[in-house]
Amino acid sequence: MASNTLQFKTNYAVSSKIEPFYKGGKVQINKDEEYIFCTCGTRVNILEIATGQLTRSIEQDDQEDITSFALSPDDEFLVTASRALVLKQWDWKTGLCTRSWRAIHNTPVASMTFDSTSTLLATGGCDGTIKLWDVLKQYCTHNLKGSAGVVHLVQFHPDSGVLQLFSSSLDCGIRVWDLRSSQCVCVLQSHYSAVTALAFTPDGNTMVSSGRDKICTVWDLKSREVVRTVPVYEAVEAVVLLPEGGDFSQIGVKTKGLHFITAGSKGVLRLWEASSARCLFTQPPPASAPAPSADEDGAEEEWSQRGLTHCLHLPDSARLATVTAEHNILLYQLPSLALQQQFVGYNDEVLDVKFLGKGDSHIVVATNSPQLKVFELASRSCQILYGHTDTVLALDIFKKGSMFASCSKDNTVRVWRMDTESGEVRCLAQGSGHANAVGSISCSRLKESFVVSGSLDYTIKVWDIPEQQGEGEAGEQLLSVRSTEKAHDKDVNSVVVSPNDKLVASGSQDRTVKVWSLTDLVLLGVCRGHRRGVWCVQFSPMDQVLASASADGSVKLWGLQDFSCLKTFEGHDASVLKVIFVSRGSQLLTSGSDGLVKLWTIKTNECVKTLDGHQDKVWGLHANRKDNLTVTGSADSNITLWQDVSEVELAEEQAKQEDQILKQQELSNLLQEKKFLKALGLAISLDQPHTALRVIKEIRQGRDGDEQLESTVLRLRRDQKESVLRYCAVWNTNGRSCLDAQAVVQVLLKHHTPEDLLQYQGARNILEALIPYTDRHMQRISRLLQASMFLDYMWQKMRVTGQSSVEPQAEDMDTTPVAQAPPVFTIDTSPGQEVEGGGREDEEEEEGETAEESREDSGDVGVVSGKAGEKGMKERGREEPEMADQSASGESSGEEDEGRADGLQTENGIGWSTEAPPLQAGLIR
């Protein structure tokens, strides 16, 4: 029964992210074939091939985009060039910049390469010049001029003994530079467009060049003449030579000689024989991808979406790495050219995301692309699904998790199935019939029998899925339309099927939510109340309730009995794009165009948590079947997995509370046992300044308190002393605890030099905070001292006046103890005024200062009234001697009076003793 107890969610934490790591530009693989280096804006990202995880990012400090980079052949260091015309040398294994220098180029560096010895670095600039750098001696060795326009290709001769450099620019020629004379020895002319790649044989005698003019040229470098021109019928971006002596019969190699592989605009790898200029092998297109047709207009442009921009040979592992125009990195195994791994470098705008597979082991992502991407969460390997011909807008999953449906701007709907064993995804069927883009789709909840779609043509359709789903007929079966209905007056943004497969709800740009009967699409009710278009609708899995998210920034709950609004949730500052139910329908998760994800509790209308993990619109939001993991996809190209940490945080909070209780008990025991050092250390470890103050007070109240405090503070560790000093700055602001703070500061100043104290963390700020309050306390004590001295003076004068009624004496103070009459003057102490310290001392400093100022003012009045009273009493003593006679009562009263006078003075002569009896009212008021 405990497992069935409903536990509200309180927080989510980021479990992992799928972030863009490649946005175009150069790609390079290190010598050990373990890492892929690629550019992404201001960073060079290092991707581990085995796991697909980013191990390190090397980022420019100036936040300038990196235009080119080169990794040394010995894998020792990396050199980057930025738009700020700065070259930086990095230890890429630690991410530290070891050297930085200005490039002599007048414009950004377009290409870079190392020679085979990792000594010389060549940089080709957009200004048409080539610079050579000695990396070890750190100086520029050559400045080669003569290229026309941007130097987009530089490459050294493979033989380090042959000091030659090959370059290409906008003049379509290949320049050969002799590094001994710094002269261009010849220009190889064969291409009629930009030369994209050069490939050399191991002996360095033969070179193959490729260009966008759809030809490859084989050169004899000794005679510098063309050996063979091979027409390849596509714009070639990269060329790789097959290693000699390998068995490549599987891909059609039957004779010895030069063979090379081309990668270009058609998106497939092709093998060519140089001697005969024949194509021996063409890589088959991916499953469900339409084959190119040269006869159709625009077919080549459509196919170029999968065009290849780079091709790299990995000789140790016998693999080829290719980079597509959509920033995907694919690894093929030689000699079969079978696809081994895929990495998605850039997802562009993520439009929808759903969990997929057994145990929700995968996610399927719809991006701003016709292709779907299926990520395996464990390894981050990606499967790219071809089928749609325009951007995929929405996805939905069937109950079992192995089938899903997609809809696209190409006006079609497709149904896909994942093989639970191999993980391969194939298209089962497709349906077309909408007159405009299909913007939303929903699958049946009980059986895999139908899907419902909503379109920008204002209609919703119910599609029946064929019962027989043969694997051999993948993508060829057609979905049949069961019913169609014009549902709204504007675009249908969202459709959803109820948990019992009886109802369909639709949300539209016309600001309404409509509920339909699924069997014949009969309208059952309309929910009105949103002020702007409705982006998402969702049925509760437990109750007869429907949730809708709108562009007006609100989420509403509607009752299905009377279609009235039950609750409204407001908290997003922009459009709410998605809403889902979690915690068995008792909570909501919403995502908005403000990049925020909010967790709501339905019963209390309370926003429990706001998750800030994206920088742009969050279009995709989905929870797994266990309800402990949520995935979000955003227009910032990030996919974030959120783990439910409510139980973990609750357990941590309970453990923290238990630990606090145990430590508080331990602290009380230590104070009881007078183990002040351990008690103070424990209070500091708990970061409880009030408890530490209590320990300090306990120490000072004991016998030899100052000595005990000194020994305790000096035995603390340095970090503990730093904490105590920080606490003192707080204690010093309160009149009740300022003396304890000053006592601790006195110990530290007594036994540590100012230089040592300034080494403490934040010591300057702490001391600056101590000074003004210490000055105010000093002024207050000075005023108290003055007031106490005046009262002492007045008391002595009272004694003299009392004695003069018996024996007339001068007005000078007489300290000789004589028998006096009982005093006739007292001080009137008002309620709430303490005798000790010469007046009441408030808890807060501001109130204390006000009270002190009022006491100071009343003290001035007391001086005048005291003198006038003294003169008047002397006159009354002369005019009424009988009163003086009555006041004289002998030696006993004089001795008692003298004892009281002594008792009114404290040890330091500053304040009043609380044991002194009050004097009679009349003199000081």
Side-chain angles (χ1 to χ4, degrees):
M1 294 298 294
S3 60
N4 296 327
T5 303
L6 179 62
Q7 179 67 46
F8 283 161
K9 303 181 187 304
T10 57
N11 194 14
Y12 286 87
V14 176
S15 173
S16 60
K17 279 189 175 183
I18 299 177
E19 300 177 290
F21 63 86
Y22 174 61
K23 294 183 179 180
K26 186 175 180 180
V27 175
Q28 191 173 349
I29 297 177
N30 71 327
K31 179 181 178 182
D32 296 333
E33 301 178 3
E34 295 178 352
Y35 301 99
I36 298 175
F37 293 74
C38 51
T39 57
C40 184
T42 61
R43 305 189 307 271
V44 173
N45 289 324
I46 304 173
L47 183 75
E48 188 175 7
I49 296 177
T51 63
Q53 300 285 342
L54 277 179
T55 58
R56 189 174 299 280
S57 291
I58 296 175
E59 186 168 7
Q60 294 281 124
D61 296 334
D62 52 12
Q63 297 296 315
E64 292 286 345
D65 286 347
I66 293 177
T67 57
S68 184
F69 73 92
L71 178 68
S72 62
D74 56 5
D75 283 354
E76 288 299 321
F77 48 85
L78 178 78
V79 177
T80 61
S82 69
R83 291 190 180 276
L85 306 181
V86 175
L87 298 176
K88 290 192 175 186
Q89 181 175 319
W90 305 81
D91 181 359
W92 63 271
K93 296 178 182 178
T94 61
L96 299 176
C97 180
T98 57
R99 181 188 167 213
S100 177
W101 71 97
R102 295 284 298 178
I104 312 177
H105 294 279
N106 297 323
T107 54
V109 176
S111 57
M112 299 174 65
T113 188
F114 275 96
D115 72 337
S116 58
T117 63
S118 301
T119 303
L120 290 178
L121 172 69
T123 59
C126 297
D127 55 1
T129 63
I130 302 172
K131 306 286 192 295
L132 268 69
W133 308 84
D134 190 321
V135 180
L136 299 181
K137 297 181 181 179
Q138 302 181 358
Y139 69 98
C140 181
T141 61
H142 297 75
N143 184 16
L144 308 178
K145 299 180 179 180
S147 300
V150 177
V151 181
H152 59 265
L153 177 64
V154 287
Q155 197 161 342
F156 284 95
H157 193 282
D159 186 358
S160 59
V162 181
L163 294 177
Q164 288 183 349
L165 178 71
F166 296 79
S167 68
S168 177
S169 59
L170 296 181
D171 57 4
C172 307
I174 303 172
R175 296 180 179 272
V176 182
W177 303 86
D178 185 5
L179 300 183
R180 291 184 176 88
S181 61
S182 299
Q183 298 294 325
C184 177
V185 294
C186 71
V187 179
L188 304 179
Q189 295 285 355
S190 173
H191 293 278
Y192 297 96
S193 66
V195 178
T196 56
L198 302 176
F200 297 88
T201 57
D203 57 9
N205 296 327
T206 305
M207 179 183 72
V208 178
S209 62
S210 65
R212 296 191 179 100
D213 53 3
K214 302 183 180 182
I215 64 170
C216 290
T217 305
V218 181
W219 301 86
D220 184 353
L221 293 181
K222 290 184 178 180
S223 61
R224 297 169 183 167
E225 294 181 352
V226 177
V227 176
R228 173 75 67 177
T229 299
V230 181
V232 295
Y233 308 107
E234 68 170 331
V236 181
E237 297 291 335
V239 60
V240 172
L241 301 183
L242 280 184
E244 298 179 359
D247 182 13
F248 298 98
S249 59
Q250 188 175 351
I251 53 176
V253 178
K254 298 180 180 179
T255 60
K256 294 183 178 180
L258 182 63
H259 295 81
F260 58 89
I261 294 176
T262 59
S265 60
K266 291 187 177 181
V268 294
L269 298 175
R270 295 198 286 175
L271 175 64
W272 300 85
E273 186 178 37
S275 58
S276 63
R278 291 188 302 115
C279 179
L280 303 181
F281 178 81
T282 300
Q283 182 186 28
S288 72
S293 175
D295 299 333
E296 298 180 4
D297 294 337
E300 185 174 346
E301 285 75 10
E302 178 182 325
W303 186 253
S304 67
Q305 293 176 355
R306 295 183 52 246
L308 302 178
T309 59
H310 297 81
C311 185
L312 307 172
H313 184 218
L314 284 67
D316 293 345
S317 58
R319 290 186 294 178
L320 284 178
T322 63
V323 182
T324 70
E326 292 190 332
H327 314 305
N328 303 323
I329 301 175
L330 292 76
L331 296 178
Y332 295 96
Q333 188 67 49
L334 286 174
S336 63
L337 290 181
L339 181 61
Q340 192 179 54
Q341 282 180 286
Q342 295 185 82
F343 304 106
V344 177
Y346 183 59
N347 285 316
D348 202 0
E349 187 172 356
V350 179
L351 301 180
D352 205 355
V353 59
K354 291 288 189 293
F355 282 101
L356 179 67
K358 185 179 180 180
D360 297 320
S361 58
H362 296 69
I363 57 173
V364 55
V365 182
T367 62
N368 193 17
S369 164
Q371 287 79 45
L372 290 171
K373 299 178 177 67
V374 179
F375 289 90
E376 184 180 4
L377 296 178
S379 64
R380 298 297 174 88
S381 63
C382 178
Q383 183 179 169
I384 301 175
L385 307 180
Y386 298 90
H388 289 288
T389 57
D390 207 339
T391 303
V392 180
L393 297 177
L395 301 166
D396 198 25
I397 306 293
F398 288 91
K399 183 178 181 180
K400 294 183 180 179
S402 60
M403 281 181 60
F404 66 95
S406 61
C407 60
S408 169
K409 280 185 179 180
D410 60 9
N411 306 350
T412 65
V413 173
R414 285 180 177 263
V415 177
W416 310 76
R417 179 185 291 277
M418 169 183 276
D419 189 335
T420 56
E421 295 182 0
S422 63
E424 182 182 359
V425 180
R426 299 176 65 88
C427 181
L428 294 179
Q430 60 176 319
S432 59
H434 282 289
N436 207 333
V438 186
S440 59
I441 194 165
S442 180
C443 300
S444 60
R445 302 305 177 201
L446 299 180
K447 297 181 180 179
E448 299 171 348
S449 57
F450 67 89
V451 295
V452 179
S453 62
S455 171
L456 274 64
D457 60 9
Y458 313 156
T459 66
I460 58 176
K461 290 180 180 289
V462 181
W463 308 79
D464 286 325
I465 300 175
E467 295 182 0
Q468 306 212 348
Q469 303 160 358
E471 295 185 1
E473 303 174 358
E476 298 179 1
Q477 299 186 76
L478 297 178
L479 300 173
S480 59
V481 178
R482 182 196 303 177
S483 54
T484 304
E485 183 67 29
K486 182 181 181 299
H488 293 272
D489 298 329
K490 291 186 179 181
D491 301 347
V492 180
N493 292 330
S494 177
V495 292
V496 64
V497 178
S498 63
N500 60 359
D501 281 355
K502 299 294 184 182
L503 304 174
V504 174
S506 59
S508 169
Q509 203 67 28
D510 62 7
R511 299 178 290 182
T512 63
V513 177
K514 294 185 179 182
V515 181
W516 310 81
S517 172
L518 185 61
T519 55
D520 49 6
L521 290 183
V522 174
L523 181 62
L524 301 179
V526 181
C527 304
R528 292 185 174 88
H530 284 294
R531 299 185 301 276
R532 297 185 66 183
V534 179
W535 279 112
C536 182
V537 289
Q538 196 69 246
F539 281 104
S540 171
M542 306 298 291
D543 302 320
Q544 299 288 321
V545 171
L546 177 70
S548 62
S550 170
D552 61 10
S554 68
V555 177
K556 291 181 180 291
L557 288 184
W558 310 88
L560 296 181
Q561 286 77 19
D562 53 1
F563 305 103
S564 62
C565 180
L566 304 178
K567 284 180 178 289
T568 300
F569 303 88
E570 294 182 342
H572 285 277
D573 294 331
S575 301
V576 185
L577 303 177
K578 284 285 185 179
V579 57
I580 61 173
F581 285 88
V582 293
S583 304
R584 300 181 190 174
S586 61
Q587 290 182 296
L588 292 174
L589 270 177
T590 60
S591 64
S593 58
D594 52 6
L596 301 178
V597 178
K598 290 181 178 289
L599 175 65
W600 308 82
T601 299
I602 295 177
K603 185 176 181 180
T604 61
N605 268 53
E606 177 188 5
C607 179
V608 179
K609 191 70 178 180
T610 298
L611 309 176
D612 188 2
H614 295 284
Q615 303 299 322
D616 209 338
K617 304 178 185 68
V618 182
W619 288 108
L621 176 65
H622 193 230
N624 65 346
R625 280 170 286 182
K626 291 183 179 180
D627 204 22
N628 63 346
L629 198 64
T630 301
V631 61
T632 56
S634 172
D636 61 6
S637 188
N638 288 332
I639 301 170
T640 305
L641 291 167
W642 304 86
Q643 180 74 41
D644 178 19
V645 294
S646 304
E647 295 183 0
V648 176
E649 288 187 348
L650 180 61
E652 290 179 352
E653 184 64 26
Q654 291 177 350
K656 184 178 179 180
Q657 291 178 358
E658 293 176 359
D659 186 57
Q660 289 282 348
I661 293 172
L662 292 176
K663 288 186 176 180
Q664 290 289 353
Q665 183 62 44
E666 182 182 359
L667 184 63
S668 300
N669 296 338
L670 292 174
L671 289 176
Q672 187 71 22
E673 298 171 1
K674 304 298 182 180
K675 296 180 179 179
F676 298 119
L677 179 61
K678 290 184 178 180
L680 186 58
L682 183 59
I684 295 172
S685 66
L686 293 174
D687 195 19
Q688 296 182 353
H690 181 72
T691 307
L693 177 62
R694 187 157 62 96
V695 176
I696 297 293
K697 288 182 177 294
E698 288 281 346
I699 296 174
R700 298 188 67 219
Q701 289 175 1
R703 180 180 297 179
D704 300 330
D706 294 338
E707 297 178 1
Q708 183 72 20
L709 177 64
E710 183 176 351
S711 62
T712 303
V713 172
L714 293 178
R715 290 168 63 186
L716 294 175
R717 300 191 308 268
R718 173 169 174 169
D719 60 326
Q720 293 175 330
K721 291 179 181 178
E722 292 175 355
S723 300
V724 170
L725 186 59
R726 189 173 67 252
Y727 297 161
C728 287
V730 180
W731 300 340
N732 196 47
T733 61
N734 195 321
R736 288 187 171 184
S737 56
C738 64
L739 295 179
D740 302 294
Q742 293 295 331
V744 175
V745 172
Q746 180 184 3
V747 173
L748 294 176
L749 291 174
K750 180 179 179 182
H751 295 276
H752 295 81
T753 62
E755 291 76 11
D756 293 338
L757 290 178
L758 288 176
Q759 298 299 321
Y760 286 6
Q761 184 177 3
R764 293 183 181 273
N765 295 332
I766 294 172
L767 294 177
E768 289 177 359
L770 282 170
I771 291 172
Y773 281 97
T774 303
D775 184 53
R776 293 167 73 176
H777 293 316
M778 195 64 192
Q779 294 176 7
R780 177 169 55 84
I781 292 174
S782 298
R783 291 194 296 269
L784 291 175
L785 179 61
Q786 293 174 6
S788 65
M789 294 178 68
F790 162 71
L791 292 172
D792 181 55
Y793 168 76
M794 288 301 302
W795 176 247
Q796 296 296 336
K797 283 298 184 181
M798 294 174 200
R799 295 176 55 200
V800 171
T801 302
Q803 186 177 4
S804 64
S805 62
V806 180
E807 295 180 3
Q809 294 183 4
E811 290 186 4
D812 296 337
M813 186 188 312
D814 185 7
T815 58
T816 306
V818 294
Q820 297 180 358
V824 296
F825 310 110
T826 61
I827 294 179
D828 183 16
T829 58
S830 61
Q833 181 179 3
E834 298 176 4
V835 180
E836 182 181 358
R840 180 169 56 93
E841 178 177 329
D842 295 334
E843 296 180 5
E844 296 298 330
E845 187 62 27
E846 291 77 4
E847 297 177 5
E849 289 182 354
T850 305
E852 289 156 10
E853 291 172 1
S854 63
R855 286 196 300 273
E856 187 174 356
D857 296 338
S858 64
D860 296 338
V861 176
V863 172
V864 178
S865 61
K867 291 181 178 179
E870 180 182 356
K871 181 179 179 181
M873 289 309 299
K874 287 182 178 180
E875 293 175 355
R876 286 196 298 271
R878 289 193 295 268
E879 295 173 358
E880 300 177 2
E882 66 275 11
M883 182 179 295
D885 296 338
Q886 293 175 2
S887 63
S889 58
E891 294 182 2
S892 60
S893 60
E895 293 173 357
E896 181 181 359
D897 192 20
E898 182 179 359
R900 289 179 181 176
D902 295 336
L904 287 171
Q905 298 185 12
T906 59
E907 295 180 359
N908 52 13
I910 296 178
W912 289 89
S913 172
T914 57
E915 298 177 356
L919 300 178
Q920 296 178 5
L923 179 59
I924 299 178
R925 178 69 58 182

